[in-house]
């Protein structure tokens, strides 16, 4: 059940009507049932995995809270990590690693048996596993008191608004909201309606439409030339941002309507000035998770430059692998790790340099955007061989077809409201700035986006990209 | 518990006021020339060729320019309103105004000028995409007020009619204006849903060509084919003929088609996308692929003809409702029994043709239509006169047009109405 489907509209209306009429405890039970139903619509068999993760982490956290014995606490944490990462690793990486080992064996002249299981990846498993793990680790670190009621904790893990594609919420932020009374307010509804509407616009008007060009280019059905590759990469950069940030906006919007405050996951990442800035703006919930639970425990930047670079690379490679079991993701992670390391190195040397001018800032933004685009080429390509072929075509096959012109027009036309809103958000530093505009520009914005939605929304029910992660 | 903060709009609105003070004069300065330029360039942009209409002063362009010039005044009025009565910010005035703006756009698109601009733009870009060309011609004819005022023969149906009847020759032979309301893929479900485009004059004669092929060609509701021509009266007849379970299983398509029936913006959305995809030149490269797809669909239809008996029954029931409704809105409905290439494969076609013949004969007995069966057509279309399994070639087109003209020229039989 996609957020951009009529089924979901019907589902949410029913849930919201019932929710508004119930007291807190009943509200939580309703949301839990609704969330399991929502997830079960994809594949009810995988509900058992959420239930397993929930039960393990709830039990382990209570044990961690009660115990003062460090060895027992470590053992409990190990149990939780082993089960969570075991399930995640089995479903997500088993076939990948076995397949890679088979390929290696074949290149060495062996004839290995086919051990791949052809597993189906449970939708959103990486998201809820990380969310649940962060809770256990926080309790282990005594940064958080465990949940008292199992159902409250189960709702924290499975809340349908952000269950399948994040943001990866922290218990410190969301669990408290689950346990305390919530109010449906006019302001919350207004904000929620705008966020959902804006997310819907980004997803079905921009993301899904530009995806057609990106798909054609990356699948090779369009001849690779400078024009087609550059435009294909731009299209994918826009697609992945509009698709993923749309889901986050819609999740926040739905949460706001229900009285929850779901964390911000994107802050205009294509306005980033450097790699560190990019990761403070892109998929914030994952990058902050990796920072808090991987980079800092590895030592962060406290153990000298070499160790810092290693930590950055390791964190980004694992971050890349989190996205999926393919070598392209590993290389994408390596590329971003390298960018961060180089930036760290350069920043260290220019610590006392004067702040950049407006031109300098614009130049940095442009450079970072193109660096991110290069990353997307690695990320989206079907294989590393395709990456090579596309880069060769980019350099050796200059050309710009009439089809490229038409697509450039389409991409620019559809994304105009996006850039207008992002510039406003960036200048004000306020993600809800469109709501604060005065009557006329607000009306123009609503009318334009609604008109584009009616005329150009892609109704093909294309799934969100990050569902596969 | 953290909550989304109450919007504080003051700093942003101060910035807006400052920006208007600094740059508001640009709107009248640039707006009027821009409006005049838009007005002058409109036809050129629509038709993709320089035209005489681009020359000279254009009052519409001036109106656009004045509207652009007045924007800062409206903007300031909005700011003043929200400063004077801050509570109005909590009211959903902007969404209501946006809805009104969309209503205005909807109304503008429905006007003769709006329809002419839009569908001429589609036609200019249609290239070899036959469906875009046929739908745009259909809609341009439907939007022509002069044609709508002249009663004549309304020719409705699928590509068998589009490629099988020479409209000019038919008009010459019958001595009546012929209004073409046919497009590829207009099988019974599409035909019934399009009813609103046929009943524009009570003295019209509605001429159809239906065969067993039409009865079995669709295996399910096909919203993409119905949407561009959906009308409220037509959809009412189509859906009224369907069983509740059938409708319930297709409720998403019904929402889509219902929106298309009442909202021109939604109805035209496939062709708005078409304009976006071909902004500067006609669809050339995609044409071959589109025509190939049509051929592939046709081939599939040959094989799976009548595969869904539920759809065959729905076609008959909805056609019955359509005939009953339309017989009161036009002078006469003439149904010419259609045919396919004698070499058409499979036995399904014979059975479906018999079903269709019996159904139309029943309708004639009820007095809703005048049925012209093959036996009365005096028309011979051997295998070599067909372009493919369902479409005639040039010689076949000539013969079919003549037969059609003879059928339409024949005096109507005395009215027989069911008791």
């Amino acid at each position: 059940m996609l957020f951009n489907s009529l089924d979901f509209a019907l589902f949410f209306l029913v849930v919201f009507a019932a929710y508004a009429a119930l007291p807190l405890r009943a509200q939580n039970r309703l949301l839990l049932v609704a969330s399991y139903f929502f997830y079960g619509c994809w594949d009810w068999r995988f509900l058992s995995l959420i239930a397993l993760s929930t039960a393990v982490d709830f039990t382990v956290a209570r044990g961690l809270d009660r115990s003062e014995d460090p060895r027992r606490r470590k053992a409990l944490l190990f149990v939780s990590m082993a089960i969570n990462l075991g399930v995640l690793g089995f479903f997500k990486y088993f076939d990948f690693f076995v397949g890679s080992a088979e390929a290696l064996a074949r290149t060495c002249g062996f004839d290995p048996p086919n051990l791949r299981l052809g597993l189906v990846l449970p939708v959103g498993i990486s998201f809820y596993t990380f969310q649940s793990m962060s809770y256990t680790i926080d309790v282990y670190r005594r940064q958080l008191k465990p949940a008292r009621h199992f159902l409250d904790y189960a709702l924290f893990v499975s809340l349908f608004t952000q269950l399948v594609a994040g943001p990866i919420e922290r218990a410190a932020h969301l669990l408290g909201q689950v346990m305390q009374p919530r109010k449906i307010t006019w302001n919350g509804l207004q904000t929620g309606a705008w966020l959902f509407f804006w997310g819907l616009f980004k997803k079905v008007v921009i993301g899904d439409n530009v995806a057609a060009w990106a798909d054609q280019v990356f699948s090779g059905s369009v001849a690779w030339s400078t024009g087609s590759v550059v435009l294909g990469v731009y299209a994918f950069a826009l697609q992945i941002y509009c698709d993923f940030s749309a889901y986050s906006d819609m999740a926040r919007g739905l949460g706001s309507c229900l009285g929850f405050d779901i964390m911000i996951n994107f802050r205009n990442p294509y306005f980033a000035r450097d790699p560190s800035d990019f990761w403070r703006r892109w998929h914030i919930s994952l990058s902050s998770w990796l920072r808090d639970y991987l980079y800092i425990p590895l030592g962060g930047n406290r153990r000298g430059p070499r160790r810092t670079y290693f930590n950055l690379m390791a964190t980004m490679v694992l971050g890349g692998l989190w996205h999926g079991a393919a070598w392209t993701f590993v290389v994408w992670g390596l590329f971003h790790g390298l960018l961060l390391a180089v930036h760290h190195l350069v920043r260290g040397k220019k610590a006392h340099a004067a702040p950049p001018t407006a031109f300098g800032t614009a130049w940095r933004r442009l450079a970072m955007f193109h660096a991110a685009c290069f990353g997307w080429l690695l990320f989206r390509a079907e294989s590393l061989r395709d990456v090579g072929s596309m880069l060769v075509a980019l350099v050796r096959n200059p050309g710009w077809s009439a089809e490229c012109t038409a697509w450039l027009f389409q991409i620019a036309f559809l994304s105009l409201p996006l850039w207008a809103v992002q510039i406003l958000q960036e200048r004000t530093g306020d993600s809800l700035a469109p709501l604060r505009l005065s009557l006329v520009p607000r009306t123009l914005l609503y009318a334009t986006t609604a008109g584009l939605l009616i005329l150009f929304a892609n109704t093909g029910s294309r799934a969100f990209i990050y569902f596969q992660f | 518990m953290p909550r989304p903060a109450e919007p504080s709009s003051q700093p942003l609105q101060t910035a807006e006021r400052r920006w208007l003070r600094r740059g508001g004069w640009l709107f009248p300065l640039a707006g009027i020339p821009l409006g005049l330029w838009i007005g002058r360039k409109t036809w050129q942009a629509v038709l993709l060729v320089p035209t005489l209409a681009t020359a000279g002063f254009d009052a519409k362009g001036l109106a656009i320019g004045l509207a652009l010039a007045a924007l800062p005044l409206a903007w300031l009025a909005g700011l003043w309103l929200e400063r004077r009565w801050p509570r109005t910010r909590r009211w959903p005035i902007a969404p209501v105004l946006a809805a009104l703006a969309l209503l205005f756009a909807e109304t503008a698109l429905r006007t003769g000028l709006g329809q002419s601009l839009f569908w001429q733009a589609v036609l200019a870009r249609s290239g070899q995409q036959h469906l875009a060309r046929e739908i745009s011609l259909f809609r341009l004819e439907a939007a022509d007020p002069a044609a709508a005022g002249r009663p004549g023969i309304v020719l409705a149906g699928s590509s068998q009619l589009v490629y099988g009847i020479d409209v000019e020759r038919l008009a010459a032979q019958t001595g009546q204006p012929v209004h073409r309301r046919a497009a590829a893929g207009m099988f019974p479900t599409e035909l019934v849903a399009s009813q609103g485009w046929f009943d524009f004059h009570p003295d019209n004669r509605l001429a159809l060509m239906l065969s067993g092929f039409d009865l079995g060609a669709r295996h399910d509701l096909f919203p993409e084919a119905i949407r561009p021509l959906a009308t409220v009266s037509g959809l009412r007849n189509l859906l009224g003929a369907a069983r509740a379970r059938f409708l319930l299983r297709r409720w998403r398509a019904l929402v889509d088609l219902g929106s298309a029936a009442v909202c021109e913006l939604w109805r035209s959305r496939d062709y708005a996308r078409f304009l976006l995809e071909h902004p500067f030149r006609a669809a050339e490269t995609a044409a071959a692929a589109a025509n190939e797809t049509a051929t592939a669909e046709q081939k599939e239809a040959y094989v799976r003809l009548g595969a869904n008996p539920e759809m065959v029954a729905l076609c008959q029931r909805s056609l019955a409702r359509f005939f009953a409704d339309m017989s009161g809105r036009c002078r006469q409905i003439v149904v010419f029994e259609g045919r396919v290439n004698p070499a058409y494969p499979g036995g399904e076609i014979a059975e479906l043709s018999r079903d269709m013949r019996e159904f139309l004969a029943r309708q004639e007995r009820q007095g809703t239509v005048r049925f012209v069966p093959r036996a009365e057509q005096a028309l011979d279309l051997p295998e070599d006169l067909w372009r493919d399994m369902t479409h005639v070639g040039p010689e076949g087109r000539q013969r079919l047009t003549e037969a059609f003209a003879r059928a339409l020229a024949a005096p109507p039989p005395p009215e027989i109405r069911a008791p």
Side-chain angles (χ1 to χ4, degrees), chain A residues 205-221:
Chain A
V205 175
I206 307 175
D208 287 357
N209 281 325
V210 301
W213 178 251
D215 289 350
Q216 282 182 53
V217 171
F218 282 96
S219 67
S221 56

Side-chain angles (χ1 to χ4, degrees), chain A residues 163-328:
Chain A
L163 171 63
V164 287
I168 303 166
E169 276 286 357
R170 304 292 184 83
H173 183 237
L174 188 61
L175 190 57
Q177 297 181 53
V178 169
M179 293 190 296
Q180 287 172 19
R182 298 173 294 270
K183 262 189 194 163
I184 296 173
T185 62
W186 179 242
N187 179 36
L189 287 175
Q190 265 187 321
T191 308
W194 161 253
L195 285 170
F196 190 86
F197 174 74
W198 181 239
L200 187 67
F201 172 80
K202 285 199 284 187
K203 163 75 180 154
V204 299
V205 175
I206 307 175
D208 287 357
N209 281 325
V210 301
W213 178 251
D215 289 350
Q216 282 182 53
V217 171
F218 282 96
S219 67
S221 56
V222 168
W224 287 336
S225 65
T226 308
S228 66
V229 170
V230 166
L231 206 57
V233 174
Y234 283 163
F236 182 67
L238 206 55
Q239 182 202 351
I240 194 164
Y241 171 62
C242 287
D243 189 284
F244 191 18
S245 73
Y247 188 91
S248 298
D249 283 348
M250 289 158 108
R252 287 181 66 215
L254 294 168
S256 181
C257 291
L258 297 170
F260 289 98
D261 174 27
I262 306 289
M263 71 175 289
I264 290 180
N265 214 14
F266 291 87
R267 286 186 200 274
N268 306 328
Y270 293 148
F271 284 77
R273 282 167 290 193
D274 54 58
S276 300
D277 193 20
F278 181 79
W279 285 105
R280 280 192 296 270
R281 293 163 176 263
W282 179 275
H283 202 172
I284 298 165
S285 62
L286 176 68
S287 50
S288 60
W289 197 101
L290 291 172
R291 181 197 62 205
D292 294 347
Y293 300 110
L294 189 59
Y295 177 68
I296 292 174
L298 283 172
N301 58 1
R302 292 161 298 169
R303 296 189 188 169
R306 279 189 187 176
R307 184 60 194 254
T308 303
Y309 302 144
F310 170 80
N311 291 344
L312 284 171
M313 297 296 279
T315 305
M316 293 316 292
V317 167
L318 286 170
L321 209 52
W322 175 91
H323 283 83
W327 289 110
T328 46

Side-chain angles (χ1 to χ4, degrees), chain B residues 205-206 208 332-336 360 363-364 367-373 376 404-413:
Chain B
R205 293 169 76 198
L206 179 63
L208 311 170
Q332 189 189 32
I333 303 171
V334 180
V335 184
F336 194 86
L360 290 170
Q363 291 297 312
E364 187 172 46
T368 53
V369 303
R370 184 162 82 77
F371 177 45
V372 185
E376 295 172 18
F404 224 85
R406 281 196 301 275
L408 287 166

Side-chain angles (χ1 to χ4, degrees), chain B residues 350-407:
Chain B
E351 199 178 319
L352 285 165
S353 296
R354 195 177 54 244
D355 285 354
M356 188 55 131
R357 200 172 303 128
E358 285 169 6
F359 166 74
L360 290 170
R362 240 182 355 259
Q363 291 297 312
E364 187 172 46
R365 284 196 295 278
Q366 288 172 11
T368 53
V369 303
R370 184 162 82 77
F371 177 45
V372 185
R374 283 173 66 168
E376 295 172 18
Q377 291 172 3
L379 172 65
D380 184 29
L381 287 174
E383 201 177 317
D384 58 326
L385 295 189
W386 291 80
R387 204 171 64 173
D388 53 35
M389 286 297 142
T390 49
H391 302 108
V392 288
E395 169 73 23
R397 178 181 166 92
Q398 197 178 326
R399 287 193 194 182
L400 190 59
T401 306
E402 282 164 8
F404 224 85
R406 281 196 301 275

